[in-house]
Amino acid sequence: FSAAPVSLAGIEDLWITEVVPSSGEVEVTNVGPDKVVLPNEFAFCHRFRYSDRISAATSFAAGESKVFNLNFSDADDSDLWLYRTTSGFGSAANIISGIKWGPAPGVGRTGIASADGKWSGAESFVPPPAAGMALQLVGADPFAATNWIEAVPDLGNYPIPEAPLSASLVATGDETFDFTWTGGAPPYLVRSSTALETWKTEMITD
């Protein structure tokens, strides 16, 4: 018996996809097409706390989500980053994915994630959810604050939508358009704008 080696490149596909701050539950999903096996321990970092880990040799099948239990010192305002290591926390290159919620600026490692262009920006944050509610990733960029929404917890189940195979936009008059596509599966995240500085985001579920 022999197994094909797992590419370390697949580690970049391990995204934090849901957080329930009030309970400390965190969902990590392998959004890539291949199985990923951790070559070493991975650390979660939040407000300079590094004790929460994912064990070495933990396996994620393609599309699989796993839930981990953390203890946030400030459930209303925290950063959360998944590191590919248990050291080198001052290097943004070791951050795989993460999120900052709550308005306090520069919390934890938010500054280095922003300086490296991974997080939206040092002052960007996701509004904290109500108690018992979750923050869920709904877009293709896990580092964009605008891709996170408040929702009822659905831990362990992250639907990875397939990208549409093709799409077209046809003007129908009166500032309306028909947007059609083939392939893919809902939900889809559609963004529209009447000006570069103002964007509207809609979730299409069917």
Side-chain angles (χ1 to χ4, degrees):
F1 173 80
S2 63
V6 177
S7 170
L8 295 184
I11 289 172
E12 300 296 332
D13 293 326
L14 295 179
W15 291 2
I16 295 171
T17 50
E18 185 170 353
V19 182
V20 186
S22 58
S23 68
E25 294 169 294
V26 175
E27 175 188 87
V28 176
T29 302
N30 174 13
V31 301
D34 302 311
K35 177 181 178 181
V36 175
V37 180
L38 273 59
N40 50 263
E41 276 192 323
F42 281 20
F44 291 102
C45 171
H46 47 100
R47 284 187 169 268
F48 296 117
R49 297 186 178 205
Y50 313 107
S51 58
D52 294 305
R53 309 286 174 86
I54 303 180
S55 301
T58 298
S59 174
F60 288 80
E64 181 181 7
S65 297
K66 293 182 183 292
V67 179
F68 303 90
N69 293 293
L70 283 60
N71 182 20
F72 296 117
S73 59
D74 187 342
D76 293 324
D77 200 312
S78 186
D79 63 331
L80 175 62
W81 313 102
L82 178 61
Y83 277 76
R84 65 177 69 246
T85 179
T86 56
S87 60
F89 298 112
S91 173
N94 290 325
I95 296 176
I96 301 173
S97 69
I99 177 179
K100 166 64 175 76
W101 70 89
V107 170
R109 297 297 183 177
T110 304
I112 67 165
S114 301
D116 192 63
K118 287 193 169 180
W119 183 240
S120 310
E123 304 302 320
S124 295
F125 65 91
V126 180
M133 296 292 281
L135 295 172
Q136 293 176 353
L137 179 67
V138 294
D141 180 359
F143 290 114
T146 54
N147 283 343
W148 290 86
I149 64 170
E150 179 182 285
V152 175
D154 188 24
L155 293 157
N157 178 36
Y158 177 68
I160 303 175
E162 300 175 17
L165 298 180
S166 63
S168 63
L169 189 66
V170 179
T172 58
D174 298 326
E175 298 183 348
T176 61
F177 297 85
D178 282 339
F179 182 54
T180 58
W181 63 86
T182 59
Y188 301 103
L189 192 67
V190 177
R191 289 181 176 170
S192 59
S193 176
T194 56
L196 290 177
E197 68 274 12
T198 306
W199 286 83
K200 178 181 179 182
T201 300
E202 297 180 70
M203 182 67 73
I204 299 175
T205 57
D206 53 28

